[in-house]
């Protein structure tokens, strides 16, 4: 029974990681300096609700197994010289404490898309606009973004360019609206920066 409970707990943490891997990858790509792999697991995003549900289900079942009353077995066997696991005291990985740690890790992983932005360093710059006529706004339609972490990754790469006034990416709208000084950068350079993340520009339009 204990082994079954542990297996269920491990399944829960694995499904939690799978549910958030599409948002974890961009952060790992940023840390590793390999932006192109950021969208590798974006295909998992449509499955996220099911993986979240699976995580909750299996961890709930694991807690049910752990908390339900256990039948007592009458035995007059000597237990003084037996290991803790054989004397009725469970090993750590079979304990409620371990299951609690697994559950906490699962919650942290499931919530990752909502706080992933803190891992991206600020690249906002003070832009001195000499002539407003040099400022241009372009909307880039982007495929592959699945969460706020993706938005942060796109904004981060765009803001590395000189002349960027403002970049606002949205995974819900599948776009990035960029204001830039056309004397310092251009639409092609911005598109290259977006594509370097692993997400792809599929259309652009001047605003």
């Amino acid at each position: 029974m204990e082994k079954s409970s542990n297996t269920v707990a491990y399944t829960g943490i694995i499904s939690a990681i799978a549910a958030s891997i599409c948002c974890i990858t961009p952060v790992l790509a940023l840390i590793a300096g390999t932006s192109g792999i950021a969208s590798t697991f974006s295909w998992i995003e449509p499955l996220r609700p099911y993986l979240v549900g699976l995580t909750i289900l299996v961890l709930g079942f694991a807690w049910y197994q752990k908390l339900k009353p256990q039948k007592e077995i009458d035995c007059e066997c000597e237990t003084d010289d037996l290991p803790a696991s054989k004397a009725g005291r469970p090993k750590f990985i079979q304990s409620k404490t371990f299951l609690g740690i697994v559950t906490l890790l699962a919650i942290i992983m499931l919530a990752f898309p909502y706080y992933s932005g803190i891992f991206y360093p600020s690249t906002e710059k003070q832009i001195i606009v000499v002539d407003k006529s040099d400022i241009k706004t372009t909307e880039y339609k982007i495929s592959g973004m699945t969460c706020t972490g993706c938005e942060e990754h796109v904004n981060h790469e765009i803001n590395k360019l000189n002349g960027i006034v403002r970049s606002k990416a949205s995974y819900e709208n599948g776009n990035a609206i960029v204001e830039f000084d056309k004397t310092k950068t251009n639409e092609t350079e911005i598109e290259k920066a977006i594509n370097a993340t692993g997400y792809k520009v599929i259309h652009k339009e001047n605003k």
Side-chain angles (χ1 to χ4, degrees):
M1 183 66 71
E2 294 292 351
K3 289 184 178 180
S4 174
S5 179
N6 289 341
T7 300
V8 172
Y10 294 143
T11 302
I13 193 67
I14 291 171
S15 61
I17 293 172
S20 303
I21 191 73
C22 56
C23 297
I24 295 171
T25 308
V27 174
L28 295 178
L30 178 67
I31 295 172
T34 54
S35 296
I37 68 170
S39 63
T40 303
F41 295 100
S42 61
W43 58 272
I44 293 179
E45 175 60 19
L47 302 176
R48 177 173 164 78
Y50 303 102
L51 291 169
V52 171
L54 177 62
T55 302
I56 295 172
L57 181 65
V58 297
L59 287 177
F61 182 68
W63 276 110
Y64 167 75
Q65 285 188 315
K66 191 67 66 177
L67 297 175
K68 72 178 180 179
Q70 300 294 324
K71 292 181 179 180
E72 294 186 4
I73 300 175
D74 293 329
C75 180
E76 297 181 358
C77 305
E78 293 293 331
T79 60
D80 291 342
D81 299 327
L82 293 176
S85 60
K86 293 183 179 180
R89 296 189 295 275
K91 295 179 181 178
F92 176 70
I93 62 171
Q94 298 171 338
S95 68
K96 294 176 185 177
T97 301
F98 178 74
L99 182 56
I101 293 172
V102 169
T103 302
L104 179 61
L105 288 174
I107 292 171
I108 291 172
M109 296 308 300
L110 291 178
F112 187 83
Y114 303 103
Y115 62 83
S116 58
I118 65 176
F119 294 98
Y120 292 88
S122 175
T123 52
E124 295 293 335
K125 302 184 287 288
Q126 290 275 338
I127 302 295
I128 300 175
V129 180
V130 178
D131 189 343
K132 288 186 178 180
S133 64
D134 290 333
I135 301 303
K136 188 174 182 180
T137 302
T138 301
E139 178 184 9
Y140 296 83
K141 288 292 185 180
I142 306 170
S143 66
M145 293 193 297
T146 59
C147 67
T148 55
C150 303
E151 296 174 351
E152 293 292 341
H153 195 187
V154 169
N155 288 330
H156 177 78
E157 291 300 318
I158 292 174
N159 281 318
K160 285 182 179 179
L161 299 173
N162 291 325
I164 300 298
V165 177
R166 190 173 74 101
S167 172
K168 183 173 178 57
S170 170
Y171 80 93
E172 292 179 337
N173 298 327
N175 70 352
I177 297 176
V178 185
E179 293 180 37
F180 61 96
D181 185 338
K182 63 185 181 182
T183 66
K184 296 179 180 179
T185 190
N186 55 61
E187 293 176 343
T188 301
E189 290 302 312
I190 296 171
E191 183 174 346
K192 286 181 181 178
I194 295 172
N195 288 339
T197 64
Y199 312 114
K200 296 299 179 184
V201 174
I202 55 177
H203 178 69
K204 58 186 176 183
E205 179 180 340
N206 295 326
K207 304 295 284 185

